């Protein structure tokens, strides 16, 4: 660990009933969220979901119409941004083009009136942290995109901020570099143990980096939880669709028993596990189940599953690690199926009849979205 | 190659017009300065010996620098306001800056005379307020010349600086505040340094313009404040000393080229004349 950046000084943030209106348009609607000290939280949503507006309210650039922002219990809702002491990596990095890398990183220290000697030491430590010490005297224009991103990171961390805010930090980079920097960012977070709040529309990035993800849609907080929690147990159709891919199976509830229920879609019986404490659907009510393509298996002759359905392969493609099949069924429409390619039980051809099956806990009941047309 | 030749041929009329009507007369002026009244550098020696010429050159430099300084200050403030205004407001501001450019320089010089003369609006207003007892001498001196020239020059100062300010990414200013900088520090450490190329460009443009000013100093100087252009006119048209007039004209061209040469090392001059870098 470098001398300039001490680990473990994370701070907790709380958003209470945060709302932001622009005229008649509500960009953020009643969002309450808490971020624990040292946590990596990602605000995930499509463009226009209000995630950036929330970050700007946390940073102090946008004032909430209603609600409060609290840092370690202290209300900072109206504190101007320059007095919040938050580090921020801006979209497009916003590096100062007339300053060298070292001068860019030193900027937050200069405006705080820190002496030259202390400044030099901290700048060196921050550049070491992101492995850019050799580039201290270059101008930002002489650096690659990934290096610029790291300068922005060093500049945001150099003054040991209470909180690090990241606004789409990796969106300007190509896919391979993005993957590398995701790993670096995650390692960095573990090393310095500070509280990170990240904003992205990239669901893969959110899943890989975060301790916790908050999913936003149309200015509302739809669901929050660990990446695994959100992927495995989406509460709404939007979440299931936005995080990865899902099949949606619509049916009518026909049987309700402790721990399980069954829906009928045409002649197909959909068996659904209902864990203890989760909301149950009433008998006769319509329901929608979300089912991940990789949880569907191809049934061999004589093999059985909780839910079984027959169909024919309508289209298929090969992706190296697996096959993606689109199977046309009579009762459930077109089903997306992901089949591992290694020792696949079949060589797919169009029109080939197949029997599909999945266990009762593979699918999950989801609510239709309130704003859906 | 033949096709290229055709394109070059299209440039020929313009090229001929430039050489025959522009470059040739300038060369002729250069020639006159060393041939009239006698062959030799006699006219140039006057630069060192003649106090009158020296005074004119010093006056020109002093007024030029003063005009440049004041026009830059006013122009920077204007450009700053325009650059940060909303797009709709920007259009009105720009119109206000450009409007004076479409009014004849002669009209504007006489307008300043009526405002600044002894019975003019400014003196009468100040007397009515009781600020002064007797009218101030505001015109037919260097003060009047500088007022008129600054007024003419402010738009030329605004435009290069505004272009430079518009290229500044507004997110940089937001980022600087987010990193703890006060508004003053954002301006001093980020905005000002980034707008500096425009300031240098504006300074070169305004200073070069100022050196060759004729109508405004002639009217607002009232014949008492002599600047280079008026002095040249005096030598050639009134005293018929072609050699002296041509000599100072040559010195003026030389001074302008020297200024450009110096600043071309500092700023990209193509930007100054409207080309995109």
């Amino acid at each position: 660990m470098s001398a300039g950046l001490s680990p473990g000084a994370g701070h907790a943030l709380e958003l209470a009933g945060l709302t932001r209106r622009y005229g008649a348009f509500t960009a953020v609607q009643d969002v309450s969220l808490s971020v624990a000290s040292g946590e990596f939280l990602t605000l995930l949503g499509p463009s226009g979901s209000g995630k950036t507006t929330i970050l700007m309210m946390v940073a102090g650039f946008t004032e909430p119409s209603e609600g409060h922002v609290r840092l370690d219990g202290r209300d900072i809702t109206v504190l101007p941004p320059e007095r919040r002491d938050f580090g921020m990596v801006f979209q497009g990095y916003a590096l100062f083009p007339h300053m060298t890398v070292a001068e860019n990183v030193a900027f937050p220290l200069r405006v705080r009136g820190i002496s030259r000697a202390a400044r030099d030491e901290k700048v060196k430590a921050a550049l070491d942290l992101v492995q850019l010490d050799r580039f201290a005297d270059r101008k930002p224009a002489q650096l690659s995109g990934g290096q610029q991103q790291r300068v922005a990171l060093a500049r945001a961390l150099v003054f040991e901020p209470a909180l690090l805010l990241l606004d789409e930090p990796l969106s300007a980079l190509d896919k391979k570099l993005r993957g590398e920097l995701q790993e670096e960012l995650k390692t960095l977070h573990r090393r310095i143990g500070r509280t990170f709040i990240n904003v992205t529309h990239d669901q893969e990035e959110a899943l890989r980096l975060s301790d916790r993800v908050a999913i936003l849609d149309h200015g509302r907080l739809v669901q929050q939880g660990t990446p695994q929690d959100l992927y495995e147990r989406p509460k709404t159709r939007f979440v299931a669709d936005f995080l990865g891919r899902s099949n949606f199976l619509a049916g009518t509830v026909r049987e309700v028993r402790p721990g399980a229920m069954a829906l009928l879609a045409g002649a197909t019986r959909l068996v659904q596990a209902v864990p203890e404490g989760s909301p149950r659907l009433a008998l006769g009510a319509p329901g929608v189940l979300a089912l991940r393509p990789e949880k569907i298996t191809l049934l061999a002759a004589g093999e059985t599953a909780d839910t079984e359905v027959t169909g024919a392969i309508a289209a298929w493609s090969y992706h190296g690690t697996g096959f993606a099949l689109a199977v046309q069924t009579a009762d459930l429409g077109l089903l997306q199926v992901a089949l591992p390619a290694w020792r696949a039980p079949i060589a797919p051809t169009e029109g080939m009849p197949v029997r599909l099956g999945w266990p009762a806990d593979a699918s999950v009941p989801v609510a239709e979205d309130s704003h859906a047309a | 190659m033949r096709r290229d030749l055709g394109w070059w041929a299209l440039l020929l009329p313009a090229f001929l017009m430039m050489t025959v009507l522009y470059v040739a007369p300038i060369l002729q002026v250069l020639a006159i300065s060393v041939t009239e009244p006698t062959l030799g550098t006699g006219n140039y020696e006057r630069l060192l010996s003649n106090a009158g010429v020296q005074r004119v050159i010093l006056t020109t430099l002093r007024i030029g620098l003063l005009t440049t300084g004041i026009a830059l200050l006013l122009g920077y403030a204007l450009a700053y306001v325009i650059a940060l205004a909303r797009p709709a407001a920007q259009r009105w501001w720009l119109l206000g800056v450009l409007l004076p450019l479409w009014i004849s320089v002669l009209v504007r010089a006489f307008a300043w005379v009526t405002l600044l003369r002894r019975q003019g609006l400014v003196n009468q207003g100040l007397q009515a307020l009781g600020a002064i007892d007797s009218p101030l001498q505001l015109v037919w001196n260097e003060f009047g010349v500088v007022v008129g020239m600054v007024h003419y020059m402010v738009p030329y100062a605004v435009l290069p600086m505004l272009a430079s300010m518009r290229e500044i990414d507004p997110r940089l200013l937001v980022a600087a505040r987010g990193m703890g900088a006060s508004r003053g520090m954002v301006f001093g450490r980020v905005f000002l340094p980034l707008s500096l190329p425009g300031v240098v460009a504006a300074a070169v443009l305004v200073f070069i313009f100022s050196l060759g000013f004729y109508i405004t100093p002639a009217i607002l100087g009232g014949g008492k404040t002599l600047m280079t252009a008026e002095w040249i006119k005096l030598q050639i048209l009134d005293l018929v000393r072609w050699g002296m007039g041509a000599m100072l004209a040559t010195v003026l061209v030389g001074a302008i080229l020297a200024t450009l040469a110096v600043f071309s090392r500092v700023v990209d001059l193509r930007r100054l004349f409207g080309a995109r870098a």
Side-chain angles (χ1 to χ4, degrees):
Chain A
M1 186 79 261
S2 47
L5 288 162
S6 49
H11 291 258
L13 186 82
E14 192 195 348
L15 311 180
L18 223 49
T19 298
R20 173 70 209 197
R21 293 186 205 91
Y22 293 98
F25 173 69
T26 305
V28 174
Q29 172 100 53
D30 194 23
V31 169
S32 295
L33 196 61
S34 58
V35 190
S37 170
E39 193 178 22
F40 196 133
L41 174 90
T42 295
L43 302 173
L44 175 69
S47 59
S49 60
K51 57 190 191 299
T52 301
T53 310
I54 294 177
L55 195 74
M56 289 300 144
M57 288 192 279
V58 172
F61 295 121
T62 304
E63 208 174 300
S65 308
E66 279 166 41
H68 296 275
V69 181
R70 294 192 193 96
L71 184 71
D72 297 331
R74 188 168 66 102
D75 194 320
I76 58 162
T77 313
V78 295
L79 203 65
E82 67 267 26
R83 292 183 49 206
R84 293 198 180 195
D85 267 354
F86 292 171
M88 184 151 180
V89 175
F90 294 85
Q91 203 167 5
Y93 318 136
L95 298 178
F96 301 124
H98 59 300
M99 298 182 194
T100 64
V101 166
E103 285 166 349
N104 262 288
V105 176
F107 185 84
L109 304 173
R110 280 189 79 144
V111 300
R112 282 171 175 74
I114 288 167
S115 76
R116 199 191 163 90
R119 212 157 68 201
D120 288 349
E121 191 185 325
K122 280 173 188 283
V123 168
K124 197 185 169 313
L127 286 177
D128 278 345
L129 191 69
V130 295
Q131 296 144 44
L132 276 180
D133 35 319
R134 287 180 301 121
F135 298 96
D137 295 324
R138 298 244 188 123
K139 289 279 174 72
Q142 294 167 293
L143 301 181
S144 70
Q147 289 166 339
Q148 288 182 17
Q149 202 273 342
R150 294 204 292 240
V151 176
L153 205 55
R155 189 178 63 174
L157 287 170
V158 72
F159 60 101
E160 308 197 22
L163 214 63
L164 183 68
L165 309 177
L166 303 133
D167 187 5
E168 305 255 4
L170 305 172
S171 62
L173 305 171
D174 64 64
K175 198 172 168 156
K176 188 167 176 295
L177 197 56
R178 202 154 59 211
E180 287 171 23
L181 282 165
Q182 279 169 4
E183 285 309 312
E184 277 185 33
L185 207 56
K186 192 161 184 168
T187 313
L188 188 72
H189 174 250
R190 290 223 186 92
R191 274 174 69 186
I192 63 176
R194 275 163 208 287
T195 315
F196 281 35
I197 300 179
N198 179 35
V199 156
T200 188
H201 62 266
D202 181 345
Q203 41 105 358
E204 194 190 330
E205 178 186 317
L207 293 181
R208 284 180 67 171
L209 287 178
S210 324
D211 295 324
R212 206 150 49 89
V213 178
I215 297 188
L216 294 144
D217 185 34
H218 289 74
R220 290 168 191 273
L221 179 62
V222 185
Q223 192 177 351
Q224 53 169 315
T226 64
Q228 205 178 350
D229 195 30
L230 290 178
Y231 188 83
E232 297 296 338
R233 283 176 291 282
K235 281 187 184 145
T236 71
R237 189 184 179 117
F238 171 79
V239 174
D241 201 30
F242 191 65
L243 268 189
R245 298 192 313 147
S246 279
N247 294 297
F248 294 102
L249 319 173
T252 311
V253 181
R254 275 295 147 86
E255 292 168 51
V256 178
R257 279 180 289 153
M261 62 180 178
L263 285 76
L264 209 60
T268 304
R269 189 165 171 269
L270 303 166
V271 181
Q272 174 63 52
V274 183
E276 200 65 33
S278 54
R280 0 186 101 251
L281 294 169
L283 208 61
V288 177
L289 307 180
L291 177 64
R292 300 287 182 194
E294 70 272 15
K295 292 184 180 170
I296 302 176
T297 49
L298 228 57
L299 298 178
E303 204 178 343
T304 59
D306 292 335
T307 300
E308 292 172 15
V309 61
T310 55
I313 296 177
W316 66 277
S317 55
Y318 175 67
H319 294 285
T321 55
F323 290 103
L325 309 182
V327 176
Q328 185 67 52
T329 64
D331 295 330
L332 302 173
L334 207 58
L335 286 183
Q336 305 294 331
V337 181
L339 195 66
W342 174 240
R343 289 180 180 158
I346 55 161
T349 53
E350 270 172 44
M352 175 189 276
V354 287
R355 205 157 62 85
L356 306 173
W358 56 90
D361 60 353
S363 54
V364 49
V366 291
E368 288 288 349
D369 304 291
S370 50
H371 60 78
Chain B
M1 273 311 284
R2 288 191 71 86
R3 272 173 58 106
D4 281 355
L5 219 60
W7 289 116
W8 286 112
L10 283 176
L11 281 178
L12 201 62
F15 177 74
L16 284 178
M17 209 162 100
M18 279 294 281
T19 43
V20 173
L21 299 180
Y22 191 73
V23 178
I26 285 184
L27 290 176
Q28 203 179 355
V29 165
L30 190 69
I32 290 172
S33 73
V34 290
T35 53
E36 297 260 347
T38 53
L39 194 66
T41 55
N43 290 321
Y44 289 91
E45 279 157 25
R46 299 278 192 91
L47 276 179
L48 302 174
S49 60
N50 188 324
V53 186
Q54 287 170 353
R55 197 171 58 243
V56 166
I57 290 174
L58 282 179
T59 307
T60 306
L61 284 177
R62 188 171 59 241
I63 291 179
L65 289 173
L66 212 57
T67 303
T68 308
I70 299 171
L72 282 187
L73 279 178
L74 295 176
Y76 195 91
L78 254 175
Y80 184 75
V81 171
I82 297 172
L84 298 188
R86 284 176 300 110
Q90 278 197 7
R91 254 171 272 142
W92 287 107
W93 276 106
L94 261 183
L95 189 70
V97 169
L98 293 176
L99 207 59
L101 284 181
W102 300 327
I103 300 170
S104 156
V105 60
L106 206 61
V107 172
R108 280 191 277 165
F110 280 120
W112 277 114
V113 172
T114 45
L115 283 175
L116 297 176
R117 69 198 159 97
R118 292 182 76 83
Q119 297 82 30
L121 200 63
V122 174
N123 269 320
Q124 281 183 347
L126 287 175
Q127 276 176 305
L129 287 171
I132 50 171
D133 297 327
S134 54
L136 297 172
Q137 185 64 43
L138 298 176
V139 75
W140 299 306
N141 57 12
E142 274 191 36
F143 179 83
V145 174
V146 171
V147 168
M149 282 175 59
V150 166
H151 179 225
Y152 188 84
M153 281 303 167
V154 164
Y156 291 99
V158 167
L159 295 177
M161 292 197 284
L162 182 61
S164 180
M165 288 178 192
R166 277 187 170 158
E167 281 175 27
I168 299 175
D169 186 345
R171 287 178 304 182
L172 294 179
L173 311 178
V174 175
R177 293 217 48 206
M179 281 179 275
S182 66
R183 282 169 202 278
M185 286 189 275
V186 173
F187 178 79
R189 295 211 192 279
V190 181
F191 193 90
L192 187 63
L194 285 173
S195 64
L196 225 46
V199 175
V200 176
V204 175
L205 192 68
V206 171
F207 184 67
I208 288 175
F209 258 127
S210 304
L211 290 182
F213 248 69
Y214 173 57
I215 294 176
T216 308
I219 293 170
L220 289 166
K224 283 174 226 144
T225 303
L226 272 185
M227 284 179 69
T228 322
E230 200 184 355
W231 192 86
I232 293 170
K233 173 243 162 198
L234 206 67
Q235 296 299 317
I236 292 176
L237 293 186
D238 300 335
L239 305 174
V240 204
R241 295 205 309 213
W242 278 82
M244 281 297 277
M247 179 276 291
L248 200 60
T250 309
V251 170
L252 186 61
V253 172
I256 289 170
L257 290 178
T259 312
L260 283 176
V262 168
F263 280 100
S264 68
R265 297 179 176 277
V266 186
V267 285
D268 187 357
L269 283 179
R270 283 175 306 169
R271 279 175 47 141
L272 182 55
F273 297 109
R276 284 263 149 200

